Amino acid sequence: MARNRMSVAWTILLLGLAGCAVEGNWIAPGVVEIGPAPRDSVAGTVIVVGDAGEAIGAGRSQVLDAVAADAALAPASTWVVFVGDNVYPDTSPGTFDREAKLDAQIDAVLLSGANGIFLLGNHDHRCGDLGRWERDHIAMRLDAAVLTGRARPGQVRLLPEHASLGPSFQDVADVARLAFLDTELWLCDADADGFGCRTASEELRHGADPRDGRCLVVFGHHPTASNGPHGRFFSWRDWLLFDGLGVPLPFPLSIVGVGIYDFGSSVSDVFGGTDWAQNLHNPRYCAFSGLLDDALADCGAVAYVAGHEHSLQWISNARANRRGAPFEVVSGAGSPGKLNSVGASQDTLFASSEPGYVRLEFLTDGSVRLEFAEVIDGCPRPRRSGFRLEEPEPGAATAR
């Protein structure tokens, strides 16, 4: 009897602590889906893929295959942006080497004939033995694609250039300006005096001239808002089996593991090989996100697009009373084998736990269409959900 009471108590505790994870996708009430835009109304398209460093091998390459097919529809006016963690460390014998992982992403761009832009994430900076191996190696692999004639000059680039915090800019026709940041360097600088971040913020403001009529979208690896594990969301699966400390912990040790991980992220940067500064509530991350959100608000960006969290999300900062760009888009679901749980909070407009990517279509009338493409195993085509990049009007019909 005592054992039964203990089991009931553990169950109640588990259900009380666990978050309600999204299964498949979730669309907020009032957010209305829209169909594809007429081809002649699209001035330019940006396809955003994040955390694709394991998008290779059996059952994992469908995302890159879908990206290549998508970009090939209008290659001259399409940019494919990889928002970091393009290479993960080789963790076991028989895994694909770093060159193969990176080349798979480069080839997706080259097969389509579109343009490719690569940003760096925390793993790209740190996965090499000397800490900076990946930055130099990624730059060399991209240069080699041009030198060997596989790519046109400038077709695949690493931005920002010269190991800087950024921003680097790319205009899309006369309707949009894209700005690219190295947010791992922002994160490191925010822990110091923040001088580099403030300088980059000023450059971001100067580069966004509202008089030219272009809308500004900013890209980086690290989000400033998220409803995934980096943003302190843990599903019941995490409470049952937690591997955030590097060792899988079954229930009930998993509860202790989540507690240690969450508390450690609140007070420390690195402990026992776990980089807790990569979580949004870490003090260093809070300093970084505050600096970046101020810059995003001041420069008038319409959206900030990131990865890092292994899911697809569309978040409204206005609904949570946060500074920053009006919207945050998370596209970190490029590696089907590395997906995380994702929740839906008051600021969530769309969330998906499926692998996939994001499309931004810049229309000739100045508006932006946002599309989530979920690449579901066994389905011949991605499941697509399209929206206007704007707040739904009060009283709008429920989408689903």
Side-chain angles (χ1 to χ4, degrees):
M1 181 67 71
R3 182 176 298 177
N4 289 339
R5 284 199 296 269
M6 183 65 71
S7 298
V8 171
W10 275 117
T11 302
I12 293 173
L13 176 62
L14 175 65
L15 292 175
L17 292 173
C20 184
V22 170
E23 299 292 340
N25 69 22
W26 183 89
I27 302 174
V31 177
V32 179
E33 293 188 62
I34 60 173
R39 188 69 58 88
D40 60 359
S41 71
V42 180
T45 301
V46 177
I47 296 175
V48 188
V49 196
D51 302 75
E54 292 288 353
I56 182 173
R60 294 188 174 186
S61 60
Q62 299 99 318
V63 172
L64 293 181
D65 291 343
V67 166
D70 218 337
L73 295 175
S77 58
T78 298
W79 283 259
V80 181
V81 178
F82 293 89
V83 287
D85 283 3
N86 310 298
V87 182
Y88 289 104
D90 304 323
T91 56
S92 62
T95 57
F96 290 88
D97 61 27
R98 294 161 181 164
E99 286 84 358
K101 294 174 181 178
L102 181 57
D103 285 347
Q105 295 160 76
I106 296 173
D107 288 343
V109 176
L110 302 186
L111 283 171
S112 71
N115 308 284
I117 294 173
F118 288 76
L119 282 68
L120 297 184
N122 53 298
H123 284 288
D124 297 320
H125 274 287
R126 302 181 185 192
C127 123
D129 296 334
L130 299 178
R132 296 301 298 274
W133 182 88
E134 289 305 341
R135 163 174 274 284
D136 297 336
H137 200 74
I138 289 174
M140 288 189 294
R141 297 297 287 186
L142 294 172
D143 289 343
V146 176
L147 292 174
T148 58
R150 295 170 58 218
R152 305 185 304 271
Q155 185 179 5
V156 286
R157 292 177 290 158
L158 178 63
L159 296 178
E161 305 97 335
H162 312 305
S164 74
L165 280 72
S168 295
F169 295 97
Q170 170 66 57
D171 286 343
V172 178
D174 58 354
V175 293
R177 175 162 292 164
L178 315 180
F180 303 98
L181 308 173
D182 189 327
T183 53
E184 179 65 15
L185 295 185
W186 275 64
L187 187 60
C188 294
D189 186 76
D191 193 38
D193 60 6
F195 175 77
C197 293
R198 290 193 293 273
T199 301
S201 298
E202 286 301 316
E203 293 180 11
L204 186 59
R205 295 183 184 99
H206 291 319
D209 188 349
R211 292 173 299 180
D212 67 8
R214 293 179 174 90
C215 65
L216 176 69
V217 179
V218 181
F219 297 79
H221 177 68
H222 296 81
T224 64
S226 173
N227 292 302
H230 285 301
R232 228 172 188 172
F233 172 84
F234 300 102
S235 71
W236 63 269
R237 290 188 180 91
D238 297 315
W239 292 99
L240 284 174
L241 181 66
F242 183 68
D243 60 0
L245 299 177
V247 178
L249 297 174
F251 181 79
L253 291 178
S254 55
I255 293 181
V256 178
V258 171
I260 293 173
Y261 183 78
D262 186 72
F263 177 74
S265 297
S266 302
V267 298
S268 177
D269 286 350
V270 180
F271 178 75
T274 299
D275 192 345
W276 286 332
Q278 297 294 328
N279 297 318
L280 272 70
H281 61 287
N282 178 268
R284 191 205 305 183
Y285 204 117
C286 289
F288 149 74
S289 60
L291 288 165
L292 181 53
D293 276 340
D294 285 345
L296 292 168
D298 293 345
C299 73
V302 298
Y304 174 58
V305 185
H308 195 50
E309 206 65 278
H310 298 169
S311 57
L312 301 172
Q313 301 180 58
W314 179 24
I315 293 170
S316 166
N317 281 324
R319 294 190 174 199
N321 261 342
R322 281 190 300 263
R323 271 178 69 79
F327 299 108
E328 184 132 347
V329 178
V330 176
S331 181
S335 294
K338 295 183 73 68
L339 299 178
N340 292 135
S341 301
V342 61
S345 187
Q346 65 171 2
D347 58 357
T348 306
L349 300 177
F350 177 93
S352 170
S353 59
E354 301 286 356
Y357 55 94
V358 166
R359 285 170 51 97
L360 293 167
E361 293 180 336
F362 299 96
L363 307 185
T364 53
D365 64 3
S367 63
V368 183
R369 181 178 180 271
L370 172 65
E371 181 181 274
F372 293 90
E374 299 166 273
V375 183
I376 302 169
D377 190 28
C379 294
R381 290 180 297 276
R383 178 172 66 191
R384 300 180 184 273
S385 303
F387 312 96
R388 290 185 180 87
L389 189 66
E390 60 185 22
E391 282 285 355
E393 295 182 6
T398 301
R400 287 186 179 176

